[in-house]
Amino acid sequence: IGRADLTTLHQLRIAGKWLRYTLEFAREALEPEATPLIRRVVALQDHLGAQHDLHVAATLARERAAGEPALSNHEIASVDRFDHHLDDGVVRLGRTFGRTWRPLVAPDYRRRMGRALARL
């Protein structure tokens, strides 16, 4: 997962959404484990959502600037700085993704999920 591209990470975010919805649907039956399980999925969604939003904003900024031939040099430089800032955020979130991912794939998470499901 550490080398996954942004499309794959976005698909992971969507899969996390379905896991979260499933856990929330069965929350009452899965307690007391459900809430901590859901929190970890929410952290994953938030992290990947922020990364995706930055990527989309950078793409839109580039496309908008490319479609405006009358931009001044100052405006072009400003868009470039903004675009680089967004891209840096995408990279930073990619580097720190492990902090959000590891708790979801840790043995403790699987044990808690197993205990919760065993009570059903």
Side-chain angles (χ1 to χ4, degrees):
I1 198 82
R3 295 178 187 208
D5 62 11
L6 292 174
T7 300
T8 301
L9 292 173
H10 184 62
Q11 291 170 343
L12 178 62
R13 178 181 174 216
I14 292 167
K17 175 176 71 171
W18 290 110
L19 174 59
R20 176 183 174 187
Y21 290 168
T22 301
L23 291 171
E24 287 175 343
F25 177 79
R27 175 179 252 154
E28 188 176 321
L30 297 174
E31 288 297 4
E33 302 293 345
T35 298
L37 293 171
I38 292 168
R39 281 189 191 126
R40 289 186 184 177
V41 177
V42 169
L44 173 80
Q45 285 182 279
D46 289 349
H47 190 100
L48 292 175
Q51 187 181 38
H52 183 259
D53 291 349
L54 289 171
H55 173 68
V56 169
T59 300
L60 291 173
R62 281 190 292 272
E63 289 172 357
R64 178 73 174 149
E68 290 289 334
L71 290 178
S72 69
N73 288 338
H74 174 73
E75 291 168 326
I76 292 169
S78 295
V79 171
D80 284 344
R81 280 193 308 276
F82 178 65
D83 181 46
H84 286 14
H85 173 74
L86 295 172
D87 284 338
D88 288 347
V90 170
V91 170
R92 179 183 46 78
L93 288 169
R95 282 194 310 260
T96 60
F97 177 64
R99 289 183 231 159
T100 305
W101 177 247
R102 280 190 295 276
L104 273 169
V105 296
D108 175 63
Y109 190 84
R110 291 192 305 269
R111 270 193 300 278
R112 293 181 103 169
M113 181 73 78
R115 281 194 304 262
L117 294 173
R119 280 194 294 279
L120 291 179

